[in-house]
Amino acid sequence: FELPDSVPRVRPNDILEKSNGEYLLAYSGCLVVLDQHFQLNYIQKEPFDHATNQLLCLYEGTNDKIWAGTQHGIQEIISQNQTVLLPILEDQTITTIVPFTEDYLLAFSIGEGMFLIKGDTTKRLPLDKKERLRNTHSILVDQQGKVWIGTSNGLLVANKWELLAYAEGRIETVYY
């Protein structure tokens, strides 16, 4: 398999296998869509631009909804050449979108930490005292409900239920 010359010769920022068997490759300046047999379906360049709106991550939600984390928040990829900028974190650079619970998604940003998303509602999770959560890279939720958060400045642990209670306004402080 070889990509066309119009695709940057760098590693993709993210790869997603959709429920329908297609493969999405997120490059800084475009989205490459391959079929189940790794044949090129199409390349979507708009609205992704290497200089001003890099495509950084992908997430497939319910009903084949594809969310893209970009330099300008989260965008929904509807179909070939049709992408909608959602009013979700549009002033943030989103590097990761992952499921957190059945109702919540968790988004990581560059410099501003983590956000819980439920429908159209977004809640920024508080930073730790040393602000190490500003640049979060990975997360693992274990079977005991501990949330292990990898950052540029170390590993932090929080309680999943505390994070949800904070997002829902039931508590004012989260202990990391």
Side-chain angles (χ1 to χ4, degrees):
F1 168 74
E2 208 170 300
L3 291 171
D5 290 337
S6 60
V7 176
R9 295 292 183 245
V10 295
R11 70 169 177 81
N13 293 326
D14 200 4
I15 300 171
L16 172 70
E17 181 181 8
K18 290 179 57 179
S19 57
N20 69 2
E22 286 183 323
Y23 295 90
L24 304 181
L25 287 77
Y27 288 89
S28 293
C30 66
L31 174 70
V32 175
V33 180
L34 308 175
D35 67 16
Q36 301 91 326
H37 308 290
F38 301 102
Q39 299 299 311
L40 180 66
N41 271 1
Y42 61 90
I43 297 173
Q44 180 176 339
K45 291 191 173 193
E46 296 293 328
F48 312 116
D49 178 69
H50 181 71
T52 61
N53 192 29
Q54 291 185 23
L55 176 56
L56 301 170
C57 66
L58 299 165
Y59 172 74
E60 182 177 20
T62 56
N63 302 323
D64 296 327
K65 184 180 201 177
I66 303 296
W67 291 20
T70 72
Q71 284 178 293
H72 297 291
I74 297 175
Q75 300 184 9
E76 181 181 355
I77 300 170
I78 297 173
S79 63
Q80 182 175 351
N81 295 322
Q82 188 177 6
T83 303
V84 175
L85 176 62
L86 301 176
I88 300 174
L89 304 172
E90 53 207 303
D91 59 341
Q92 302 294 325
T93 297
I94 303 300
T95 59
T96 305
I97 305 168
V98 295
F100 192 66
T101 66
E102 280 187 30
D103 297 328
Y104 283 96
L105 292 175
L106 185 63
F108 303 161
S109 72
I110 292 178
E112 295 300 323
M114 303 181 300
F115 298 84
L116 278 174
I117 303 166
K118 182 178 182 180
D120 293 337
T121 305
T122 302
K123 180 70 174 184
R124 180 178 183 215
L125 295 174
L127 297 174
D128 59 297
K129 290 179 184 177
K130 295 182 180 178
E131 297 190 358
R132 295 169 289 190
L133 288 170
R134 282 200 178 278
N135 295 302
T136 304
H137 301 290
S138 57
I139 187 169
L140 171 79
V141 181
D142 69 20
Q143 293 178 348
Q144 288 78 38
K146 291 181 183 168
V147 180
W148 300 82
I149 307 163
T151 75
S152 296
N153 300 301
L155 181 67
L156 286 91
V157 180
N159 181 296
K160 177 180 182 177
W161 311 116
E162 272 188 24
L163 295 175
L164 290 170
Y166 181 87
E168 294 169 354
R170 293 184 281 127
I171 63 172
E172 294 182 11
T173 305
V174 172
Y175 295 97
Y176 296 100

